[in-house]
Amino acid sequence: MPRRKPEDGLWRARPVLAHMRSLASSKGQSPWPVLGWAIVRALHTVPYTVCYQSLIGAQALNSLVGISGPTGAGKTISQRLLEDHFVFPDNDPVRPFSKSWEGLIPPGSGESMPDRYVYFDRLREDEEEESGEISAKDRLSNTLVWHHPNHAAVFFFDEVGMLASRSSRQGSTLVDYMKEGWSGSEFGRTLASGKGVILPRESYRFACVINTQPKRAGILFSEEAVAGGLQGRFLWFDVTADINRDLVSREPVKKFLIPAIDWRGVDHIEALEVMNNAHTQHHWDALDGLISETESHILLTQAKVAVALAVLDGRAELNQEDWDISQLVIEHTVKTRTVIEQALVEENRLAVIRDGKRAAVKVALSEKEKHRVNVEATAAAIVRWRERTGKKDAKDRYLSQRQREYKEEAEEFLRLNPDWQPPPQKA
């Protein structure tokens, strides 16, 4: 009998997780990226005013997710599977909160992300208050109004190359904006012209999902990204993990209804005692220099996973099972991240070899060019000697030490090129 893996218990723990695995298996896909998208979608339905509260303070329930795998392995399919087979409170037409899901946003640049949250409305403040169409809490100013009732947006890069190309532009700060969005920090900028927008801290719900091939994820694993603690903020899901080829089926899969939560009166989700203890120890370890940049935010990321699991289960409070399952998700994230790091190390090694070969060719060409210059300089000296003396054989004493080394080659060059003339000498 095959030995069961720890994650097997994860997929059997709850009906929603079992449905994800069954759905993914029937389509020949991994359940992990489906879970990644489910975490994003679950947190998207949590009111932006609700935070995760622990002893170290409040944390916005915003998320960063990376879907990793080779080309054609199903990175994009996982999102479609979730949308086609799971009904959330914000995309169910029979629920009060229906039709507020607006889909995915392809960001243009980091600076444009905050602009996606608001739009300009020229109604005067007294007119809007009188009409009751726009409440004061949904305004940033007399002209800026939130697009989404939950101040929410999910940004999506279907290919990491899009992120790399945009981040290479002068002034592009996509990675910095992703870190700010995850933290729920003040989000945005204003230009000297007065244009632009700044979203107040913890006033919005943010998520960003990126599809990538392991060896192309370098921008997310650069020295700057690592130093800024980006890795600990990301959840990574492997599209090649836990695929059961024997369960592929043409049978239709029923939709799964995610329970709705009554958020009235809820302003935060309280950490469990075990979570507070973990946060406290993590804080002491960070002060003592025992936490690497890569792990600096991973505990808060795990807490957000636990909250998402509770929401998927229809609860606004955490239980021990949420925390236990979130640990398995983090273990998968770390494993996937390690695979990406190893792929990048190998890619960098091959790049060094390629660059080394190119450098060797350049050096060889350079040496060849130097040799040609020396031969022609010697040939020029011989031609001038001949013109001045009328003699064919140039004496060594009339050549420089370097020219003497190239004399035979220069004479052979002149024999093969009888019409060759040296360039005119500078005055």
Side-chain angles (χ1 to χ4, degrees):
M1 185 174 179
R3 184 179 179 183
R4 288 181 173 175
K5 298 179 290 185
E7 52 264 33
D8 290 336
L10 179 153
W11 303 116
R12 295 194 308 271
R14 294 174 182 173
V16 63
L17 299 174
H19 193 79
M20 285 181 199
R21 188 182 207 184
S22 176
L23 167 65
S25 296
S26 71
K27 306 299 181 182
Q29 304 294 321
S30 167
W32 285 107
V34 179
L35 175 58
W37 277 107
I39 290 170
V40 169
R41 289 289 282 108
L43 294 179
H44 188 273
T45 68
V46 179
Y48 74 91
T49 54
V50 176
C51 64
Y52 165 70
Q53 183 72 47
S54 69
L55 286 177
I56 62 171
Q59 176 64 43
L61 293 169
N62 299 340
S63 56
L64 290 170
V65 168
I67 310 295
S68 175
T71 300
K75 295 188 290 291
T76 303
I77 292 175
S78 59
Q79 188 269 335
R80 295 173 184 167
L81 286 178
L82 185 82
E83 287 305 312
D84 291 344
H85 296 89
F86 286 82
V87 181
F88 287 82
D90 59 1
N91 66 354
D92 183 356
V94 303
R95 299 185 188 179
F97 198 43
S98 67
K99 298 182 180 179
S100 65
W101 168 244
E102 297 179 348
L104 307 174
I105 300 172
S109 64
E111 292 89 343
S112 71
M113 280 182 166
D115 299 333
R116 297 283 190 161
Y117 283 88
V118 296
Y119 67 93
F120 285 94
D121 190 301
R122 299 301 182 184
L123 284 175
R124 292 185 307 173
E125 190 168 7
D126 56 347
E127 289 180 347
E128 74 180 49
E129 290 179 353
E130 181 180 346
S131 66
E133 293 179 359
I134 305 174
S135 62
K137 69 176 182 179
D138 288 333
R139 295 199 70 83
L140 291 181
S141 68
N142 289 342
T143 56
L144 288 176
V145 183
W146 294 95
H147 267 298
H148 192 275
N150 195 30
H151 302 190
V154 178
F155 300 97
F156 177 48
F157 287 95
D158 193 33
E159 175 53 56
V160 75
M162 297 166 57
L163 172 64
S165 64
R166 290 168 185 171
S167 288
S168 64
R169 297 174 186 168
Q170 184 177 3
S172 179
T173 52
L174 265 169
V175 171
D176 289 335
Y177 273 87
M178 285 192 290
K179 292 190 295 185
E180 290 177 8
W182 181 90
S183 300
S185 306
E186 191 175 78
F187 198 47
R189 85 285 183 241
T190 54
L191 306 178
S193 63
K195 294 183 178 180
V197 62
I198 297 179
L199 308 183
R201 62 188 297 267
E202 298 175 0
S203 68
Y204 58 93
R205 179 68 68 237
F206 169 93
C208 184
V209 182
I210 301 173
N211 284 347
T212 184
Q213 300 169 42
K215 66 180 181 181
R216 299 194 65 193
I219 188 171
L220 302 174
F221 289 79
S222 65
E223 290 185 13
E224 294 80 6
V226 171
L230 182 65
Q231 278 64 46
R233 293 175 168 95
F234 254 93
L235 287 165
W236 288 102
F237 298 94
D238 182 2
V239 300
T240 67
D242 298 327
I243 296 177
N244 193 327
R245 302 187 182 192
D246 296 331
L247 296 180
V248 175
S249 171
R250 295 180 180 273
E251 294 296 321
V253 179
K254 294 182 179 180
K255 291 191 175 184
F256 191 97
L257 190 69
I258 302 299
I261 298 173
D262 185 356
W263 292 104
R264 289 176 297 181
V266 179
D267 58 9
H268 69 273
I269 296 177
E270 190 73 31
L272 303 173
E273 183 178 0
V274 64
M275 299 168 73
N276 277 321
N277 292 340
H279 286 306
T280 301
Q281 186 60 52
H282 188 88
H283 178 63
W284 300 142
D285 289 345
L287 290 178
D288 293 337
L290 302 177
I291 302 295
S292 67
E293 292 91 344
T294 301
E295 306 302 319
S296 58
H297 295 87
I298 200 163
L299 200 64
L300 275 175
T301 300
Q302 181 179 347
K304 295 182 183 186
V305 172
V307 171
L309 290 167
V311 173
L312 289 170
D313 206 35
R315 290 177 283 107
E317 63 283 331
L318 295 165
N319 63 28
Q320 183 63 44
E321 188 180 57
D322 297 325
W323 185 239
D324 293 341
I325 296 175
S326 71
Q327 180 59 45
L328 296 175
V329 175
I330 292 300
E331 289 174 6
H332 174 81
T333 278
V334 172
K335 187 187 300 183
T336 304
R337 188 178 69 199
T338 300
V339 170
I340 296 173
E341 291 169 341
Q342 291 171 345
L344 289 172
V345 168
E346 177 62 13
E347 182 67 14
N348 288 337
R349 185 185 71 82
L350 294 175
V352 169
I353 293 174
R354 290 192 298 267
D355 290 345
K357 288 181 178 179
R358 284 194 289 266
V361 170
K362 289 180 180 178
V363 169
L365 289 175
S366 178
E367 292 300 323
K368 184 177 180 179
E369 180 64 16
K370 288 180 182 178
H371 185 84
R372 182 190 66 78
V373 169
N374 286 324
V375 170
E376 291 191 5
T378 304
I382 292 173
V383 168
R384 294 188 182 102
W385 162 261
R386 290 175 179 176
E387 291 175 345
R388 187 168 65 252
T389 65
K391 296 180 181 180
K392 184 176 182 180
D393 185 24
K395 301 297 183 182
D396 286 355
R397 66 176 178 272
Y398 292 105
L399 300 175
S400 69
Q401 186 67 39
R402 179 182 294 275
Q403 289 170 344
R404 294 171 193 172
E405 297 177 13
Y406 296 95
K407 180 182 178 183
E408 289 185 8
E409 291 182 75
E411 290 176 337
E412 179 64 13
F413 172 78
L414 292 171
R415 186 184 69 79
L416 296 174
N417 301 277
D419 298 327
W420 181 84
Q421 290 295 319
Q425 290 181 298
K426 297 179 178 180

